[in-house]
Amino acid sequence: RNKTVREHYFKIYDIRGVKIKLTLSILLIIFIYSLLNPAISGYLSSIKEQIALKSVDQLFDYTIPLLSALVIFLVFYNDYKNHTYQFYMFLNKRKFNDLMFIRYWIYTLLFCLGSFIAGLFYYRNMGFLNLTDIWLSIRFIPNILFLSSFLLCMISLTKNAYFGLFMTLTYFIGDLLSDARLFKIFSLGANTNNFLYNTSLTYYLANRLILVVLSIVFLYLACRNRRIR
């Protein structure tokens, strides 16, 4: 089956590679923007003074994770619109839907990698490719994993792509407009709202870890095979 996925992916799941091309186009635009509009050179000193540089970090905290989630929505939309998910579930004799798992990771990994590379250039004024630049770039990956897996989980459990999108947008908008006060430690906005210096290192790291753990849980729930008999 895995060989079939590799050989016929663009004939079955992504006709003519439209979704892959869309993903790469989005990431190219983000990279160009990061290249032309780097973060201010005083970024580190500003956040250490407990200043929340929302205009700087929102691109990676909120915009890119939302774009990743929207692509995941498009990737699995037809599965539930046409009820083809029943066919995939019937064919899968395992307890875990590895086809869904593989399809999820194809796009999510592209966004994680693209976000990381763009971040290296976006925060280059803090020292290009040094440990600080790498840390500033990698710290946003939990957001991408969390929002994308949450959306997929909601779609898979309810068998309704629109409901999954509605729940995801409700969480996203509530978190963004409340400046992370609504969901607190479960918020995407740890960097935008400077949890690191406005709260504590422990709280910030707990937030990052919680999002990763919840991502794993959501992905497991989404891919757990509830077979059609």
Side-chain angles (χ1 to χ4, degrees), residues 29-175:
I29 292 172
I30 293 170
F31 176 77
I32 293 173
Y33 178 86
S34 301
L35 198 62
L36 299 178
N37 301 277
I40 60 175
S41 57
Y43 175 83
L44 288 178
S45 60
S46 295
I47 63 173
K48 287 178 181 178
E49 293 174 4
Q50 299 183 327
I51 298 174
L53 298 176
K54 296 181 181 180
S55 61
V56 176
D57 290 327
Q58 277 187 347
L59 171 66
F60 289 86
D61 252 352
Y62 285 101
T63 305
I64 296 177
L66 178 61
L67 291 171
S68 176
L70 291 176
V71 167
I72 292 297
F73 171 79
L74 293 176
V75 168
F76 291 96
Y77 173 74
N78 284 330
D79 289 24
Y80 295 90
K81 176 187 176 183
N82 303 322
H83 300 287
T84 52
Y85 74 90
Q86 296 179 348
F87 176 71
Y88 299 145
M89 292 169 65
F90 180 78
L91 290 180
N92 192 350
K93 300 182 183 301
R94 302 177 184 177
K95 294 182 179 180
F96 191 77
N97 191 335
D98 52 351
L99 293 178
M100 176 178 281
F101 183 79
I102 292 170
R103 292 167 66 196
Y104 166 86
W105 276 115
I106 287 174
Y107 301 92
T108 305
L109 280 178
L110 282 175
F111 267 98
C112 289
L113 182 60
S115 173
F116 175 69
I117 293 174
L120 292 175
F121 287 88
Y122 189 66
Y123 294 99
R124 65 183 181 272
N125 287 333
M126 273 52 73
F128 186 55
L129 293 181
N130 62 14
L131 289 178
T132 299
D133 190 28
I134 293 173
W135 163 249
L136 290 175
S137 304
I138 205 171
R139 62 193 170 134
F140 299 102
I141 289 179
N143 295 25
I144 297 173
L145 298 176
F146 175 80
L147 203 63
S148 298
S149 61
F150 176 74
L151 172 68
L152 183 60
C153 182
M154 291 299 101
I155 292 176
S156 177
L157 293 180
T158 64
K159 306 296 184 292
N160 189 313
Y162 288 114
F163 183 80
L165 181 63
F166 171 77
M167 291 297 295
T168 302
L169 291 178
T170 299
Y171 164 82
F172 179 87
I173 294 172
D175 188 48

